[in-house]
Amino acid sequence: MLIRALGWITTIIYLIIIPLLFFFGSLDALSLYFALVILVVALAAALYSNEYIAADFESGLISKPKALAYYLLFNLFIVSMLVVVVVDNLGVMWAAIEMTTLISAFLVGFYNNKGAVEAAWKYIIICSAGIILALIGTILFSYALLGTAQVDANLIKVAFIFILVGYGTKAGLAPMHTWLPDAHSQAVSPASALLSGVLLKTSIYAIIRYSILVNSFLGPDFTGRLLMLFGLFSLAVAAGFILVQKDIKRLLAYSSIEHIGIIALGLGLGTPLSIYGALFHVFNHAAAKSLLFFGAGNIVKKYHTHDFAKIKGVLRTLPFTGTMILVGILALVGLPPFSIFFSEMIILLAAVLKGSYVVASLYLFFIVLIFAGIIYHFSQILFGPKPDNLIVTKEPASSKLAFLFLLGFICLLGVAMPGPFNRLLLSAVSLIRGM
Amino acid sequence: MELLLLLGILALAYAMVSAKRMSALIAGFKFQSGLLFVLTGLEGLYVVAAIVLLLKVILIPFFLFRILKQIKVDEQVGFVVNPMLSLLAGLFLTYLSFIFARNLFSGGELGLIIALAVSFAVMGMGAFIMIFRLKALTQIIGLLVIENGIFLLASTLTGGLPLIVEMAVFLDVFVSVIILGIFVYRINALFTGIDVDQLKGLRG
C-alpha cells in the first residue's frame, strides 16, 4: 500500500513539475529542451514503476526497504540529470554527470545477483574512468580560455578530444560503449528506460555545450568530423551486434548505441537541418526506447527470461504489451508515420543536401541492416502460439497509461509539429550554430 | 621544494606500480595524497588542502584498509604484468608524458613542463594499475591515483579549480569510493573473492 502510494506521489510530482519548467526564465532553449525530455521520460517511468515495483514486492523478489530505496534512488537520479542540463558551470556539470553514474549504479545492481553486480561494477569503473578523461579536458579547456589574448588552437583540439572520448563513454558512442549493453540489460526495467532514454542524452548535451565553445574558435569542421566518425562507427558496431543478438534487453541497448550514433552524426553534419533532425531525434528516441523497455520489462516478468529463443507468442500472452511493442518496434526502426521516421529522414536529407554522399549511403546502409535485424528478432517473439504454461492475465491500468502516454508522443510528433515545440527546437538549433 | 615534492609524488607512483601487496598499494596512495596536501598547503589553498588531508589521507585509506581487513582478501594484488615490467612501463609512461607535456605547452617554462609531465605520468600509472591488476580494490585505487594526477594538473595549470567545482569533485570522489566499496562487498559475497577476472558472465 505504502509503496503504491509512493509511486503515485512520485508520478504526480513529475506531472506538476513539467509545466513549471516553462516558468524558469533563466534557462536557454537547449537546457529547456533537454530538461523537458528528461521530465517526460521520468513521468512515464514513474507511472510504469508503480505497478512494476509493487509486483516485485508482492512476489517477494524485493524487500520493503528496498522498494522504498528504489523510489529514493529514482528521484535522486532524475534530479542529478536535471542538474546536468540546468547548471551554467562546466565544472559542476562534470560533477553532476559523475553523480548520475554513481546513483544509477544502484539501479543497475538493484537485484543483487551475479549479473547485476557484474554489470554495475563495469558500469561504474568504465564510466568513471571515461569521465575522468572529461575532467582532464575540462581543466585543459579552462586553462586555454584563461589567457585572454590568443587561444592555442592545438590545446583546444586536444582538450576537445579528451571531452569527446570522456563524455562519449557515458553517451555510449562506440568503441567506448562496452559498459552499456550490460548495464541496460541488468537494470530494473523502468531504470533501463531512463538510462537509455535520457541518461545517454545528458552526455550528448555536455558534448554539444563543448562543441559550441570549440566551434566559436575553430569553426565547425573539427568537431563535426570527429562526431561524424564516432557516429558512423557506433552505427556499424550496433548493426553487427543487433544482427546476432540473443537477449531482448541487450538488443534494445545496442539499438540505443545506434540512435546515439544517429544523433552524433546529425550534430556532426553541422547544417541547421541536420542539427534540427538530431535534436528532434533525441526526443523521439527517448519516447520510443522507453516504451520498448517497458514492454521488455513486462515480457521478462512474464516469461522469466531475456532469451529470444525462449520467448514465443507475446501477442497472445500479453495482448496489450504485445501490441504496444509491435507499434514501438515499427516506430523504432523508422517506419512512417511515426516520429523517428521523420527525424531520421531529416538527417539523411541534410547529408544529401550537404553533398556528403558517402556518409549518407553508409548511414542508410546501417539503418537498413538494423531494420532487418530488429524486425527479424521481434517477429520471432511476438507471433506464434501462446506457450501452454502461461496464462493471460489482466494488465494493470497504470502501466497501460505509461505506454499510451509515450505512444501519444510518438504518433503526434509523426503527423504534426506543435508550434511551441518547433520554436523551442529552432532556437536550440540557432544556439548550437552559434548565432 | 616544489620540485622535491613533485619527485616524491612521482616516486610514490613508481612504488605503487611495482607494489606486490595490497597494503603497500594503499599506503602508497596515502603518502602520495599526503605530499599533495603539503603542496596545496604551500600554495596557500588552505581549505582545499584541509579537504585533501581529511579525505584522501585519512578517510579513504582508512576505509580501504577496513575493507581489506573485513573481507580477508589475500594480500596479493594479482599481477597480469610482473612488478619489474610494470616499473619499466611506468618509466616509459613518464617519458611519454614528458613528450606530451612539452608538445602541448611548447612555450612553457621547464618548471611547468615538469609539473605537467609528473601529473600526466601519475594519471598514466593509475590507469596502468586499473588495467593490469586483478583485484576489484586495485581498480578503485587506480581510479584514485588518476584523480591525484588530475588534481595536480588542475593546481599547476589553473592554480586549482574554482572552489565550488573542487568541492563537487571531492564529493564525487568520496561518494564513488564509498559506492565502489559497497560493490566490493557484494562481489565478495556473490563470487569467490574479489578477482575481477571472474566478472565475465555478460558477453555479446
Side-chain angles (χ1 to χ4, degrees):
Chain A
M1 199 58 220
L2 174 66
I3 290 158
R4 279 216 168 73
L6 207 56
W8 281 114
I9 292 170
T10 311
T11 312
I12 291 167
I13 290 174
Y14 289 114
L15 200 57
I16 295 171
I17 293 177
I18 292 179
L20 284 183
L21 192 65
F22 292 94
F23 293 103
F24 271 102
S26 57
L27 291 183
D28 65 14
L30 198 57
S31 297
L32 194 62
Y33 179 66
F34 276 86
L36 186 70
V37 178
I38 291 171
L39 284 172
V40 165
V41 176
L43 175 60
L47 205 55
Y48 177 76
S49 297
N50 220 329
E51 204 51 48
Y52 190 91
I53 294 300
D56 268 1
F57 171 61
E58 277 153 16
S59 66
L61 197 60
I62 55 173
S63 62
K64 191 169 183 177
K66 207 154 182 194
L68 300 180
Y70 170 81
Y71 280 107
L72 178 68
L73 290 168
F74 181 91
N75 289 313
L76 279 176
F77 184 35
I78 306 290
V79 169
S80 62
M81 285 194 287
L82 283 175
V83 170
V84 173
V85 297
V86 300
V87 289
D88 60 352
N89 179 316
L90 293 173
V92 178
M93 183 178 82
W94 178 87
I97 291 185
E98 171 71 0
M99 209 40 106
T100 60
T101 312
L102 298 174
I103 295 168
S104 52
F106 282 115
L107 292 172
V108 172
F110 193 67
Y111 289 122
N112 213 358
N113 51 34
K114 277 193 174 185
V117 169
E118 177 185 339
W121 181 263
K122 285 183 182 166
Y123 175 45
I124 318 182
I125 288 289
I126 296 175
C127 285
S128 299
I131 212 152
I132 235 166
L133 294 178
L135 183 58
I136 301 175
T138 309
I139 292 168
L140 290 179
F141 250 110
S142 66
Y143 175 74
L145 302 180
L146 216 58
T148 39
Q150 184 64 42
V151 176
D152 186 351
N154 246 342
L155 193 58
I156 293 268
K157 280 183 183 174
V158 171
F160 184 73
I161 290 171
F162 272 112
I163 291 284
L164 187 60
V165 172
Y167 287 137
T169 307
K170 195 76 199 295
L173 285 173
M176 297 86 72
H177 67 283
T178 47
W179 62 274
L180 193 148
D182 296 350
H184 289 214
S185 62
Q186 296 298 323
V188 200
S189 283
S192 303
L194 285 174
L195 288 172
S196 247
V198 285
L199 177 68
L200 305 180
K201 279 40 171 281
T202 55
S203 299
I204 288 287
Y205 167 85
I207 292 173
I208 293 177
R209 283 284 174 206
Y210 275 99
S211 22
I212 296 174
L213 211 59
V214 175
N215 291 352
S216 67
F217 295 113
L218 305 176
D221 280 351
F222 175 70
T223 59
R225 275 199 206 111
L226 279 174
L227 279 168
M228 279 200 286
L229 191 72
F230 277 109
L232 282 175
F233 191 62
S234 303
L235 275 167
V237 167
F241 279 98
I242 281 174
L243 287 177
V244 299
Q245 199 45 250
K246 293 189 182 71
D247 176 319
I248 177 169
K249 283 180 86 176
R250 285 181 90 84
L251 181 129
L252 294 176
Y254 277 110
S255 151
S256 293
I257 297 174
E258 173 214 350
H259 287 275
I260 287 294
I262 294 176
I263 293 166
L265 185 67
L267 291 171
L269 281 167
T271 63
L273 190 63
S274 74
I275 294 173
Y276 183 91
L279 285 180
F280 188 29
H281 200 72
V282 165
F283 188 91
N284 297 340
H285 171 245
K289 186 53 63 60
S290 307
L291 185 140
L292 284 167
F293 266 117
F294 295 165
N298 283 354
I299 291 181
V300 171
K301 256 210 157 95
K302 192 83 181 171
Y303 288 77
H304 301 289
T305 176
H306 287 198
D307 196 340
F308 275 123
K310 292 181 187 144
I311 305 171
K312 287 275 175 288
V314 172
L315 272 172
R316 286 176 202 273
T317 325
L318 296 162
F320 183 80
T321 305
T323 318
M324 285 298 137
I325 290 183
L326 182 60
V327 179
I329 284 297
L330 295 180
L332 187 74
V333 294
L335 284 182
F338 303 107
S339 55
I340 284 190
F341 169 76
F342 291 100
S343 48
E344 283 185 353
M345 282 305 128
I346 289 173
I347 294 173
L348 182 66
L349 186 66
V352 173
L353 286 179
K354 202 189 171 197
S356 318
Y357 297 111
V358 180
V359 172
S361 44
L362 278 174
Y363 169 61
L364 202 59
F365 172 72
F366 290 130
I367 289 202
V368 169
L369 217 56
I370 290 166
F371 176 93
I374 291 184
I375 292 287
Y376 167 74
H377 285 302
F378 273 90
S379 60
Q380 268 188 322
I381 67 162
L382 284 174
F383 304 109
K386 181 174 81 73
D388 297 330
N389 55 345
L390 295 174
I391 42 165
V392 182
T393 45
K394 205 162 162 286
E395 292 175 50
S398 65
S399 92
K400 278 187 185 173
L401 207 58
F403 281 109
L404 291 174
F405 174 66
L406 292 173
L407 188 69
F409 280 111
I410 298 170
C411 294
L412 173 75
L413 292 176
V415 291
M417 193 63 155
F421 187 73
N422 192 25
R423 278 196 293 281
L424 183 63
L425 275 176
L426 285 174
S427 46
V429 169
S430 55
L431 208 74
I432 294 176
R433 300 257 304 154
M435 290 182 297
Chain B
M1 183 64 193
E2 238 176 58
L3 192 65
L4 219 56
L5 283 171
L6 284 175
L7 288 180
I9 289 169
L10 191 62
L12 280 166
Y14 291 139
M16 275 187 270
V17 144
S18 52
K20 286 186 183 122
R21 288 177 309 118
M22 219 51 154
S23 44
L25 198 55
I26 303 175
F29 169 72
K30 188 179 165 131
F31 289 126
Q32 193 180 49
S33 309
L35 291 183
L36 276 181
F37 157 70
V38 177
L39 195 68
T40 354
L42 286 179
E43 282 171 9
L45 303 165
Y46 299 117
V47 183
V48 179
I51 302 175
V52 170
L53 179 67
L54 183 69
L55 221 58
K56 287 184 166 176
V57 184
I58 299 170
L59 282 177
I60 291 178
F62 170 76
F63 183 61
L64 292 174
F65 273 124
R66 218 177 75 124
I67 297 178
L68 200 60
K69 218 158 75 187
Q70 278 192 350
I71 59 179
K72 299 190 182 65
V73 53
D74 72 290
E75 271 271 327
Q76 301 299 318
V77 290
F79 285 109
V80 181
V81 179
N82 73 39
M84 205 53 219
L85 220 54
S86 305
L87 189 59
L88 279 178
L91 289 171
F92 185 61
L93 281 172
T94 316
Y95 174 70
L96 284 184
S97 308
F98 184 71
I99 303 285
F100 182 64
R102 204 181 52 189
N103 286 339
L104 197 55
F105 299 88
S106 40
E109 50 191 289
L110 191 64
L112 179 75
I113 302 283
I114 289 177
L116 290 172
V118 170
S119 69
F120 285 125
V122 170
M123 287 176 217
M125 281 185 260
F128 189 87
I129 293 173
M130 272 186 91
I131 299 166
F132 294 109
R133 298 289 178 269
L134 280 179
K135 290 281 191 304
L137 265 181
T138 53
Q139 294 194 329
I140 304 181
I141 298 167
L143 208 56
L144 286 167
V145 173
I146 300 180
E147 217 283 322
N148 268 356
I150 291 184
F151 182 84
L152 191 60
L153 177 75
S155 63
T156 36
L157 271 189
T158 56
L161 297 164
L163 195 60
I164 176 162
V165 179
E166 199 82 86
M167 292 292 188
V169 172
F170 278 132
L171 180 70
D172 276 358
V173 169
F174 189 56
V175 174
S176 62
V177 170
I178 300 277
I179 290 178
L180 283 165
I182 293 172
F183 276 103
V184 168
Y185 283 111
R186 288 191 184 178
I187 290 175
N188 188 47
L190 287 167
F191 298 84
T192 46
I194 55 168
D195 291 357
V196 284
D197 60 340
Q198 309 173 72
L199 301 180
K200 52 187 176 192
L202 305 171
R203 284 274 167 90

